[in-house]
Amino acid sequence: MNKLSRRQIITTGLVATAGVSGLAVAAKLAGRYGLIPPDSRGIYGPGETLTYAAQRVFTRHTLAREFSKSQISKDPYAYPVDPLGEEFQRFQNAGFADWRLVVDGMIARPASFSVAQLKSFPARTQITMIGCEEGWTYIAEWTGVPLSHILELVGTLPQARYVVYHSIEPTSWDSIDMAEALHPQTLVTYGMNGGELPVPFGGPLRMRVARQLGYKNVKYINRLTVTDNLKHFGKGLGSGALGAEDGYAWYAGI
Ligand SMILES: Nc1nc2c(c(=O)[nH]1)N[C@H]1C(S)=C(S)[C@@H](COP(=O)(O)O)O[C@H]1N2
Ligand SMILES: [Mo]
């Protein structure tokens, strides 16, 4: 079954299951907690809002499961990406010494961090599972800087609601809400299984959103933008070709 047909079935199923009472619950929860996903209007409909609101209410503070070293997958699968091009090749040839993570948007102190700088910040190492919506998963140990630390350094303004993360692949971008951005397991990663983060897995820098599906975990990130509104990014759906613009849910909690 191709991605589109399966996705349509899932979306239809959710809306059908939500039913009339589900819609009322979703509206009530979403209203009470201010939990409206950016794509709630028309695109996915109330099924999606229900899932997002319910998960946000019940799981805002929960941790993704962490595993022991013996459970690390021996042969993790790197999902192939499109050729990264000459610009990336130049960065790679220079050992990513010139790679930067630019941070802009609704922050007090715009910044640009090298990989070495990020490595000098307090690190978190966690063994978690990553899963693609196509059905496969693996467990690995990731090391990185909690995104919350970066946001603290740059001084997120109080009205900020989302963090958009861009990669060297222009169409591969995504965003998360502040609850996810400040979650202790959300990391800007540069290490995997005790070594550098290999290029096929997103090196030099990858957003690791441990509580959401694989496609939210964008590889080769080079810019973070803090915002209160996702409408002016791409088609205004909150993520690019890997996510909402290809029909996937913006919120992909697992
Ligand atoms: N830049 C970039 N990031 C990406 C992708 C991509 O094509 N380009 N694919 C996504 C998808 S759909 C999944 S499931 C995961 C796969 O992660 P893995 O390669 O570690 O298995 O990466 C995500 N991050
Ligand atoms: Mo995926």
Side-chain angles (χ1 to χ4, degrees):
M1 195 184 296
N2 69 29
K3 285 184 180 179
L4 190 65
S5 59
R6 187 194 51 212
R7 191 160 58 237
Q8 278 164 344
I9 289 166
I10 294 170
T11 311
T12 314
L14 267 176
V15 174
T17 319
V20 176
S21 61
L23 300 191
V25 172
K28 211 167 154 190
L29 284 177
R32 178 161 353 135
Y33 294 94
L35 297 169
I36 309 289
D39 50 12
S40 67
R41 239 149 264 166
I43 312 290
Y44 297 104
E48 190 105 346
T49 304
L50 173 64
T51 312
Y52 176 75
Q55 288 223 9
R56 271 288 171 258
V57 170
F58 296 120
T59 69
R60 195 154 14 150
H61 303 292
T62 57
L63 291 172
R65 183 172 167 201
E66 297 197 14
F67 298 82
S68 64
K69 285 220 185 248
S70 65
Q71 291 170 296
I72 293 174
S73 303
K74 301 279 173 290
D75 199 10
Y77 177 65
Y79 193 97
V81 297
D82 293 335
L84 292 165
E86 277 175 32
E87 191 195 359
F88 186 86
Q89 195 59 57
R90 279 198 296 276
F91 281 115
Q92 189 173 4
N93 292 346
F96 298 113
D98 308 319
W99 191 274
R100 288 287 179 283
L101 183 68
V102 172
V103 192
D104 57 22
M106 300 183 99
I107 54 176
R109 296 174 288 280
S112 162
F113 300 111
S114 67
V115 178
Q117 273 176 301
L118 293 170
K119 286 180 176 171
S120 75
F121 296 155
R124 180 180 170 114
T125 292
Q126 62 196 21
I127 302 174
T128 51
M129 182 183 278
I130 184 163
C132 175
E133 74 297 339
E134 289 178 23
W136 43 266
T137 59
Y138 66 83
I139 294 169
E141 182 184 78
W142 277 276
T143 300
V145 193
L147 178 56
S148 63
H149 181 78
I150 296 173
L151 294 176
E152 211 175 285
L153 283 179
V154 299
T156 307
L157 301 183
Q159 61 271 40
R161 291 191 60 195
Y162 308 98
V163 176
V164 180
Y165 37 104
H166 308 267
S167 81
I168 196 162
E169 293 185 284
T171 57
S172 299
W173 61 277
D174 214 313
S175 62
I176 45 179
D177 63 17
M178 277 297 160
E180 204 72 54
L182 298 174
H183 188 275
Q185 288 173 315
T186 299
L187 309 180
V188 171
T189 53
Y190 49 74
M192 186 176 168
N193 293 336
E196 300 279 310
L197 179 63
V199 167
F201 291 96
L205 296 177
R206 178 182 200 175
M207 186 62 77
R208 183 76 186 98
V209 185
R211 304 191 306 168
Q212 297 200 36
L213 279 175
Y215 63 82
K216 300 292 287 188
N217 293 256
V218 175
K219 304 173 181 184
Y220 322 114
I221 58 168
N222 55 13
R223 187 154 71 95
L224 308 177
T225 304
V226 179
T227 182
D228 63 346
N229 188 334
L230 295 169
K231 294 296 167 207
H232 5 269
F233 296 89
K235 295 181 185 161
L237 302 175
S239 50
L242 297 173
E245 288 179 9
D246 195 33
Y248 287 88
W250 173 78
Y251 179 68
I254 46 178

